[in-house]
Amino acid sequence: QVQLVESGGGLVQAGGSLRVSCAASGRTLSDYAMAWFRQAPGKEREFVSSISWSGSRTDYADPVKGRFTISRDNAKNTVYLQMNSLKPEDTAVYYCARSAGRFLPGLRAKIDYDYWGQGTQVTVSS
């Protein structure tokens, strides 16, 4: 079993920055791609960013490209999402997820991930 715990969310003004973290326990994350998704009220959960198991490949949804950066520290079993130039439309609960298979590149579909955290709220005020 893997437990994923997100942290670092909060309230920030538009234009500000936040870094959210996802710490894993139970099993190592080093062989698995990881991703961040988000869900705003009344909307579907959507892909934000992913990172391959090796960290060599990253992928970003168009709305966050150039503003968000995903990274991982396998020694700490932790994945990060640095969010800069935040906008009110970034307001959502942010979830991290672990890929269902080992040694995969980052993928965009929710079905490709089998473990999820409980989420952390990010609120951007205008």
Side-chain angles (χ1 to χ4, degrees):
Q1 280 287 347
V2 175
Q3 292 80 42
L4 302 176
V5 179
E6 300 95 336
S7 61
L11 174 64
V12 64
Q13 287 189 330
S17 298
L18 276 176
R19 188 178 79 161
V20 291
S21 302
C22 172
S25 61
R27 286 194 179 180
T28 180
L29 294 181
S30 61
D31 294 345
Y32 296 87
M34 297 293 295
W36 288 94
F37 289 76
R38 68 186 181 186
Q39 188 167 17
K43 293 189 176 182
E44 294 279 327
R45 191 173 298 188
E46 64 177 4
F47 169 80
V48 174
S49 180
S50 67
I51 186 166
S52 63
W53 68 276
S54 65
S56 61
R57 292 173 60 179
T58 58
D59 185 26
Y60 299 92
D62 285 345
V64 308
K65 201 170 291 184
R67 300 188 296 122
F68 290 11
T69 302
I70 191 171
S71 61
R72 64 191 302 159
D73 185 337
N74 286 339
K76 294 183 177 180
N77 233 19
T78 301
V79 179
Y80 305 96
L81 185 68
Q82 177 68 44
M83 303 182 290
N84 298 329
S85 302
L86 282 161
K87 304 175 181 180
E89 51 264 43
D90 295 318
T91 295
V93 177
Y94 283 71
Y95 299 89
C96 68
R98 194 201 75 169
S99 65
R102 299 171 68 195
F103 307 121
L104 295 176
L107 300 169
R108 293 192 169 204
K110 294 187 290 292
I111 197 171
D112 293 314
Y113 296 86
D114 58 356
Y115 286 98
W116 296 79
Q118 83 291 346
T120 185
Q121 176 71 47
V122 172
T123 303
V124 184
S125 63
S126 57

